[in-house]
Amino acid sequence: MADVIDVVMVVDTQSLVTAHPGPSQDSRKPTQVDDHFCFLIAPPVSVIKGQATAALLVKTSRAKGASDGGDTDGPGARASGKAPGARVSWRSRSLSGNAGQSVVIYSVTGQAPSPKAPAFGAFEKEYQAPLPDLVSGQNTDPPAFSPTMTGDYYLEGALRKHGEQFTVSFYITAEDDGELSTVGYFSWVAGLAVA
């Protein structure tokens, strides 16, 4: 079974929108942003270095020399520098947890020297999540919650063993009087490598 490393791109949307007051309204020509506004996080067990930075080095459970009895990428996959079976799921959040302003990734493309860039497919599902019960602005005692339906949206695709730059394209939405609108389209070059 393939390793899946969950990576969350966190964006300081308020600072980004302040620094780019007239962002692109064309998803095919997003406004380029630098590392001041975006960073990557992953489960600590997967991170070698770079947690909460623009350059994240992660590891899979298939450590060097480990084998599950089969090489899913065929003979010579290790020699070619691939991470056999390693995949990454890209999710996005704003610093506010997608409340008020939200971040949605719509494209992840590899910039590897190889013309065979990994494909990242989009997936969505619904699940129940707890919404804490409040009384007069305070948590109940004992703490309680009500189940609420929420959505999970992510892009997932294969990783390479060597370092790679990825262009992550995303849009920001804002809520105003209960209505959502698109603030603009952006892209960021993130570094994600598998050891």
Side-chain angles (χ1 to χ4, degrees), residues 132-141 143-144:
D133 293 336
L134 303 178
V135 175
S136 300
Q138 300 293 318
N139 282 306
T140 58
D141 186 16

Side-chain angles (χ1 to χ4, degrees), residues 16-35:
L16 191 155
V17 170
T18 299
H20 297 277
S24 172
Q25 299 300 304
D26 184 346
S27 63
R28 292 167 296 187
K29 297 176 184 174
T31 299
Q32 305 268 331
V33 299
D34 60 27
D35 298 342

Side-chain angles (χ1 to χ4, degrees), residues 51-72:
Q51 184 76 289
T53 69
L56 187 60
L57 178 62
V58 295
K59 63 183 175 184
T60 69
S61 63
R62 295 174 187 229
K64 194 171 186 175
S67 174
D68 61 2
D71 188 346
T72 58

Side-chain angles (χ1 to χ4, degrees), residues 49-136:
K49 68 178 182 178
Q51 184 76 289
T53 69
L56 187 60
L57 178 62
V58 295
K59 63 183 175 184
T60 69
S61 63
R62 295 174 187 229
K64 194 171 186 175
S67 174
D68 61 2
D71 188 346
T72 58
D73 286 342
R78 292 188 194 283
S80 71
K82 289 186 179 179
R87 299 179 66 76
V88 66
S89 291
W90 292 83
R91 288 177 171 82
S92 55
R93 298 288 179 268
S94 65
L95 282 178
S96 66
N98 282 351
Q101 290 182 328
S102 299
V103 177
V104 181
I105 296 173
Y106 63 90
S107 173
V108 176
T109 55
Q111 296 180 332
S114 165
K116 202 173 181 184
F120 288 86
F123 302 90
E124 65 180 342
K125 63 182 178 179
E126 286 192 346
Y127 64 96
Q128 283 195 358
L131 183 64
D133 293 336
L134 303 178
V135 175
S136 300

